[in-house]
């Protein structure tokens, strides 16, 4: 199905470019500038840049439905379906006869599986503009996704009558014919697509898969090779050709192609799974185990991976390890008859006679249940005749009923929280007179930054990035004229604070912590010199708390225990630590510092954001959400807070709210959001 999503995406982009010329002139010159910049960025495929321009335009004019429409297109092409749908909603609310708004909203609704609403929107769009053939193409894709294959064929027929030179329409109609069981018409459509565009690799991949289904392997290999001749980076073609070589018993060639996929996509779990089986086929069980271990690290709920790894252990005589894996496979899928049968054999080898007999009886009962269900037309994964050590392909047969949750993910993405905020040295003082800036403004914070005789900024960029220092620490503390602060004598607390951030810059963390301790202790005694010193203490506490947390993270990284939020492609999540069992780390001192800072200054969002991170690292997810929510309340444009809260919400299996937060984070400029959205905020049928 994911192929169709890509085709729709290409179609949407082409439509968006055509619409650039149709945009109405805006009333004011400054709005014209932002609109043009946004549309040019959209045309060039610079989607995040386009969103930034349309964000400004949306603040200038909240009634410009084209602005929201274009921003929705940018979000869609970044994989943010929910965010795009929200913008298309706004566009049709502002203009109830806006055909393009209904058209694109229907596409996003189809991507989220809300087909009835999608068809309603297509009907509205067609009633407004019945001559626009692109509507029938999009509705054809939606009919396909809704498994209404005859209707999909009708829509593609209508589109092809008007646009007979579009190869993607033939590819989609061909796929619809395949699902209707008409391979001859499907092959005819793929041939037509190739005739129209001989330089589109997907045409050959599609036709090659039909040849493979007919067991015409040499012809299928030739098509995959042709696709790779056109596009030598097409990992999907390499993957499919590897399966074909395997069927031809050319294991070396199959392994070369799988290795090429993994060179481009090291976390491609399906490829690792298949390579593991080939290693086992040729007797290299150690390599097979390494690959299957990586598969289970990516998706620890994959039944087939446990089942096959147990078989590897059996071949190696590691009976206890095999028993554990069969136990896990059965725990995940209690109807897996073949697993009971194999476990019975392992238990017999271990002298567990009673358990072996019980499992053998259970296996026979499961087989009987399967046959009864199969006779009544109900398939079951308990089928013991199926070869579970066969290589898996990306096709409809893999998604068996009642087995959807065990699909392998294609990629592994480690998701790191956006880092903690702290005061850091800067190359220059921050400019505050930028028009339409959404920076956080706070009088106390700004006063403190201005009072420090060296440029500093509140930032969460990597603290290990070395800044070329223009002035030495001694020069700063001497108060020379280049500081911009004259020779004003600093209170001891500020002096210690500056010394601390210089030590951080030099990566002397122990020395920095010592200076931050002194700054915190001195702050209470400096109130007679500066009335604000009592409140500045909150900033010293913030930096000390962050440093304490970063020192813990540094130790964890040396031990290989860097914590990430890792999710499988069903949105299930787990706290995962590398490939080993995690140590727990104590962030309580850092949390105490951050809480003490919020008691002193309760209106700084960075403090609550940091608390959210620290609670998350401590496993207190509900408190983490509270921290991020408070940060957002104080600073609604804090994209990092939306990003982290979105991750935690998904971790807690509140996927809908989490993905909405990630969409907002992307809109606010957090570019990492879109790779996460693309991975975890789409339904399986959208892939």
């Amino acid at each position: 199905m994911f192929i169709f999503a890509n085709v729709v995406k290409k179609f949407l982009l082409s439509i968006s470019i055509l619409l650039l010329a149709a945009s109405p002139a805006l009333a004011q010159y400054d709005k014209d500038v932002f609109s043009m910049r946004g549309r040019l960025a959209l045309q060039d495929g610079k989607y995040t840049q386009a969103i930034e321009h349309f964000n400004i335009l949306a603040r200038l004019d909240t009634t410009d439905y084209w602005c929201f429409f274009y921003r929705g297109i940018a979000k869609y092409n970044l994989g943010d379906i929910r965010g795009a749908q929200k913008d298309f909603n706004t566009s049709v609310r502002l203009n109830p006869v806006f055909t393009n708004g209904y058209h694109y909203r229907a596409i996003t609704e189809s991507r989220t599986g809300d087909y009835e609403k999608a068809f309603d929107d297509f009907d509205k769009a067609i009633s407004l503009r019945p001559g626009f053939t692109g509507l029938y193409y999009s509705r054809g894709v939606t009919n396909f996704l809704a498994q209404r294959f005859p209707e999909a064929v009708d829509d593609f027929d209508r589109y092809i009558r008007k646009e007979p030179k579009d190869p993607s329409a033939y590819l989609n109609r061909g796929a619809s014919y395949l699902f209707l069981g008409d391979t001859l018409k499907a092959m005819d459509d793929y041939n037509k697509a190739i005739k129209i565009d001989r330089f589109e690799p997907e045409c050959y991949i599609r036709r090659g898969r039909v040849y493979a289904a007919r067991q015409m392997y040499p012809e299928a290999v030739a098509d995959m090779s042709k696709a790779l001749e056109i596009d030598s980076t097409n990992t999907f073609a390499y993957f499919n050709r590897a399966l074909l070589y395997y069927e031809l018993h050319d294991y070396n060639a199959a392994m070369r192609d799988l290795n090429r996929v993994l060179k481009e996509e090291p976390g491609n779990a399906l490829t690792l799974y298949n390579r593991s089986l080939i290693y086992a086929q040729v007797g290299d069980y150690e390599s097979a185990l390494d690959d299957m271990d990586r598969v289970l690290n990516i998706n620890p709920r994959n039944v087939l991976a446990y089942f096959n790894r147990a078989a590897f252990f059996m071949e190696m005589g590691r009976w206890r390890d095999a028993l554990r894996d069969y136990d896990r496979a059965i725990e995940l899928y209690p109807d897996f008859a073949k697993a009971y049968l194999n476990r019975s054999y392992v238990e017999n080898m271990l002298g567990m006679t009673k358990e072996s007999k019980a499992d053998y009886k259970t296996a026979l009962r499961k087989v009987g249940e399967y046959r009864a269900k199969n006779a009544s037309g109900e398939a079951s994964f308990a089928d013991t005749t199926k070869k579970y050590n066969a290589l898996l392909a990306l096709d409809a047969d893999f998604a068996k009923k009642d087995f959807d949750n065990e699909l392998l993910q294609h990629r592994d993405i480690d998701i790191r929280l956006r880092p903690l905020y702290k005061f850091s040295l800067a190359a220059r003082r921050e400019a505050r007179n930028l028009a339409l800036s959404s920076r956080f403004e706070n009088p106390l914070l700004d006063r403190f930054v201005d009072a420090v005789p060296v440029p500093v900024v509140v930032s969460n960029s990597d603290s290990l990035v070395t800044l070329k220092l223009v002035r030495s620490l001694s020069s700063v503390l001497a108060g020379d004229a280049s500081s911009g602060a004259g020779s004003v004598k600093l209170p001891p607390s500020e002096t210690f604070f500056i010394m601390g951030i210089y030590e951080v810059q030099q990566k002397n963390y122990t020395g920095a912590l010592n200076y931050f301790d002194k700054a915190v202790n001195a702050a209470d005694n400096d109130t007679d010199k500066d009335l604000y010193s009592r409140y500045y203490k909150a900033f010293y506490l913030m930096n000390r708390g962050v440093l304490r947390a970063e020192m813990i993270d540094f130790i964890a990284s040396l031990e290989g225990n860097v914590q990430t939020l890792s999710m499988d492609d069903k949105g299930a999540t787990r706290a995962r630590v590398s490939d080993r069992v995690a140590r727990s780390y104590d962030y309580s001192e850092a949390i105490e510092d951050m809480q003490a800072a919020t008691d002193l200054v309760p209106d700084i969002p960075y403090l609550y954001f940091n608390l959210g991170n620290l609670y998350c690292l401590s496993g207190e997810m509900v408190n983490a959400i509270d921290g991020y929510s408070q940060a957002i309340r104080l600073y609604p444009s804090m994209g990092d807070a939306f990003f982290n809260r979105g991750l935690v919400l998904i971790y807690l299996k509140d996927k809908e709210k989490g993905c909405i937060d990630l969409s907002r984070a992307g809109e606010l400029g957090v570019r990492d959001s879109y790779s996460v959205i693309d991975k975890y905020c789409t339904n399986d049928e959208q892939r």
Side-chain angles (χ1 to χ4, degrees):
M1 300 285 185
F2 67 94
I3 295 173
F4 287 86
N6 289 337
V7 172
V8 175
K9 187 175 289 189
K10 293 176 185 176
F11 174 72
L12 285 175
L13 181 55
S14 65
I15 294 298
S16 70
I17 293 172
L18 291 174
L19 287 172
L20 296 183
S23 180
L26 296 173
Q28 299 178 14
Y29 175 74
D30 55 356
K31 290 193 289 185
D32 276 338
V33 171
F34 290 115
S35 178
M36 181 58 69
R37 287 176 180 171
R39 287 182 286 131
L40 288 174
L42 189 64
Q43 182 176 350
D44 292 341
K46 300 175 181 177
Y47 303 121
T48 53
Q49 190 179 108
I51 289 172
E52 291 169 5
H53 292 305
F54 291 128
N55 284 346
I56 295 172
L57 185 57
R59 291 202 295 272
L60 290 171
D61 185 356
T62 59
T63 65
D64 184 359
Y65 58 92
W66 281 102
C67 167
F68 293 100
F69 174 72
Y70 286 135
R71 192 174 72 177
I73 290 174
K75 290 179 180 179
Y76 181 94
N77 281 285
L78 286 167
D80 182 6
I81 307 303
R82 289 170 177 80
Q85 186 172 342
K86 182 180 177 183
D87 277 347
F88 296 143
N89 285 340
T90 303
S91 74
V92 296
R93 177 177 58 80
L94 294 171
N95 182 358
V97 292
F98 187 32
T99 305
N100 292 308
Y102 289 114
H103 181 185
Y104 283 68
R105 187 171 72 174
I107 290 169
T108 59
E109 287 162 344
S110 71
R111 291 289 306 278
T112 58
D114 198 345
Y115 300 121
E116 291 307 315
K117 285 186 178 179
F119 290 125
D120 286 345
D121 274 347
F122 279 125
D123 289 344
K124 291 175 185 175
I126 290 171
S127 68
L128 290 168
R129 196 176 169 189
F132 181 41
T133 56
L135 289 166
Y136 299 103
Y137 181 103
S138 298
R139 192 173 68 178
V141 173
T142 301
N143 274 314
F144 181 93
L145 294 173
Q147 299 186 32
R148 294 168 42 164
F149 302 117
E151 291 86 350
V153 169
D154 290 342
D155 276 336
F156 291 127
D157 284 344
R158 189 160 185 169
Y159 177 79
I160 288 170
R161 283 197 294 271
K162 293 288 186 179
E163 300 288 344
K165 299 297 183 182
D166 185 350
S168 65
Y170 292 100
L171 291 177
N172 283 357
R173 190 174 70 177
S176 301
Y177 280 133
L178 277 182
F179 276 85
L180 289 171
D182 195 336
T183 56
L184 291 176
K185 286 185 178 179
M187 182 66 81
D188 185 52
D189 269 351
Y190 293 156
N191 286 331
K192 288 177 181 176
I194 290 172
K195 186 176 180 181
I196 293 169
D197 187 355
R198 295 182 180 276
F199 300 99
E200 172 52 59
E202 185 153 331
C203 298
Y204 296 97
I205 294 173
R206 297 285 191 92
R207 190 175 70 177
R209 285 166 64 80
V210 176
Y211 280 134
R214 294 176 173 179
Q215 297 187 349
M216 299 169 66
Y217 299 125
E219 293 84 351
V221 168
D223 268 355
M224 296 303 167
S225 298
K226 181 64 177 178
L228 290 167
E229 180 184 319
I230 298 168
D231 179 7
S232 62
T233 65
N234 193 311
T235 54
F236 191 54
Y238 281 113
F239 178 84
N240 279 284
R241 193 172 68 174
L243 301 185
L244 295 167
Y245 281 136
Y246 177 81
E247 294 294 340
L248 292 168
H249 306 293
D250 189 345
Y251 301 135
N252 289 331
M255 190 67 81
R256 280 196 302 271
D257 278 352
L258 293 179
N259 287 340
R260 180 57 189 270
V261 175
L262 292 169
K263 180 181 178 182
E264 301 293 330
E265 302 174 10
N268 190 311
L270 192 55
T271 304
L272 287 166
Y273 177 92
N274 285 340
R275 190 175 71 172
S276 175
L277 295 182
I278 294 177
Y279 275 133
Q281 187 100 7
V282 298
D284 187 354
Y285 293 109
E286 289 295 340
S287 296
L289 279 177
D290 287 343
D291 276 354
M292 205 62 78
D293 287 346
R294 289 176 64 190
V295 171
L296 287 167
N297 191 45
I298 294 168
N299 185 357
R301 294 183 57 80
N302 189 275
V303 172
L304 292 182
Y306 286 108
F307 180 84
N308 282 293
R309 191 172 70 174
F312 303 161
F313 285 137
M314 287 172 64
E315 293 291 341
M316 300 168 75
R318 294 169 58 176
W319 304 107
R320 289 289 176 186
D321 290 328
L323 181 61
R324 278 193 293 270
D325 273 356
Y326 284 130
D327 287 345
R328 182 63 173 146
I330 290 169
E331 177 188 340
L332 290 169
Y333 203 86
D335 287 331
F336 198 171
K338 190 68 174 289
Y340 285 104
L341 199 63
N342 286 14
R343 189 171 71 174
S344 172
Y345 178 78
V346 171
E347 288 165 339
N348 186 55
M349 295 299 294
L350 290 169
M352 302 168 64
T353 307
K354 182 178 179 182
E355 293 85 348
S356 177
K357 288 181 179 179
D359 272 348
Y360 186 76
K361 289 180 180 178
T362 301
L364 293 179
R365 188 179 76 252
K366 296 290 182 185
V367 171
E369 291 172 357
Y370 164 75
R371 288 173 178 165
K373 288 181 179 179
N374 197 45
S376 63
E378 294 184 41
S380 167
F381 194 68
D383 181 5
T384 58
T385 64
K386 184 174 175 65
K387 292 174 66 177
Y388 297 115
N389 61 345
L391 267 64
L392 295 177
L394 287 169
D395 57 28
D397 289 337
F398 184 36
K400 295 294 184 185
K401 181 184 177 184
D402 297 329
F403 199 55
D404 293 341
N405 288 336
E406 312 311 329
L407 290 177
L408 286 158
Q409 329 186 138
H410 299 174
R411 289 183 180 87
D412 179 28
I413 296 179
D414 285 339
I415 302 171
R416 298 183 186 278
L417 298 170
R418 300 290 289 178
L420 299 161
Y421 277 85
K422 59 187 176 295
F423 286 91
S424 302
L425 294 174
R428 62 187 64 85
R429 291 193 179 273
E430 184 182 17
R432 297 181 188 158
N433 57 351
L434 298 176
L436 298 171
S437 171
S438 60
R439 66 176 288 274
F440 175 69
E441 297 181 12
N442 179 276
L444 179 70
L445 184 60
D446 290 345
R447 187 185 188 283
F448 177 73
V449 169
D450 291 340
V452 176
V454 64
V456 295
V457 64
V458 180
S459 168
N460 66 342
S461 61
D462 188 355
S463 64
L464 297 181
V465 174
T466 301
L467 177 70
K468 185 177 180 180
L469 301 177
V470 177
R471 301 174 58 219
S472 67
L473 177 60
S474 59
S475 173
V476 171
L477 297 179
D480 63 32
S482 64
S483 70
S487 57
V488 177
K489 185 171 178 59
L490 297 173
S493 59
E494 288 185 40
T495 300
F496 290 132
F497 176 73
I498 294 170
M499 295 170 76
I501 58 177
Y502 263 82
E503 290 294 317
V504 169
Q505 183 64 36
Q506 301 302 322
K507 303 178 186 177
N508 182 4
Y509 301 128
T510 303
L513 185 59
N514 182 48
Y515 282 125
F516 289 148
D517 285 342
K518 291 180 179 180
V520 169
N521 294 331
D524 293 330
N525 299 324
D526 287 345
T527 53
D528 57 335
K529 301 180 181 68
D530 187 338
L531 295 176
Y532 292 95
S533 290
R534 175 173 178 270
Y535 302 104
Y536 291 166
K537 180 180 179 181
F539 304 141
Y540 311 150
L541 286 164
M542 179 172 81
N543 262 43
R544 186 174 73 176
V546 170
L547 181 59
R548 283 172 164 168
E550 287 184 341
M551 290 173 74
I552 292 172
D553 291 341
F554 180 69
I555 293 170
S557 70
L558 293 177
E559 297 176 351
N561 290 334
V562 178
Q563 182 162 331
T564 61
L565 290 180
S566 184
M567 314 176 193
D568 65 28
D569 68 348
K570 285 292 183 179
T573 55
R574 62 197 183 279
R576 180 169 65 76
V577 182
S578 188
D579 296 327
R580 296 186 287 258
V581 176
R583 271 191 57 191
S584 59
Y585 297 94
D586 184 6
Y587 291 90
S588 59
E589 287 187 332
I591 291 173
E592 288 172 7
D593 275 350
M594 223 58 67
Q595 287 176 329
T598 61
D599 291 340
L600 286 168
V601 184
D603 58 349
I604 303 294
Y606 307 115
L607 298 173
Y608 296 99
F609 174 90
N610 288 350
L611 272 174
N613 272 26
L614 295 171
Y615 280 128
C616 184
L617 292 170
S618 301
E620 299 180 42
M621 299 303 181
V622 175
N623 286 336
I625 290 175
D626 290 342
Y628 298 134
S629 298
Q630 180 68 355
I632 291 168
R633 186 185 69 79
L634 293 168
Y635 183 14
S637 296
M638 193 176 191
D640 287 341
F642 280 104
F643 181 85
N644 284 9
R645 188 175 71 175
L647 292 185
V648 175
L649 285 167
I650 294 175
Y651 184 89
L652 295 174
K653 301 187 179 180
D654 194 344
K655 186 174 179 180
E656 186 65 28
K657 289 181 181 177
C659 290
I660 290 171
D661 271 357
L662 289 172
S663 172
R664 180 64 176 146
E667 187 178 305
L668 291 169
V670 184
R671 299 193 176 195
D672 292 345
S673 300
Y674 294 109
S675 61
V676 182
I677 288 170
D678 186 54
K679 181 65 182 176
Y680 300 113
C681 294
T682 55
N683 296 331
D684 287 334
E685 60 266 22
Q686 299 161 18
R687 293 189 172 280

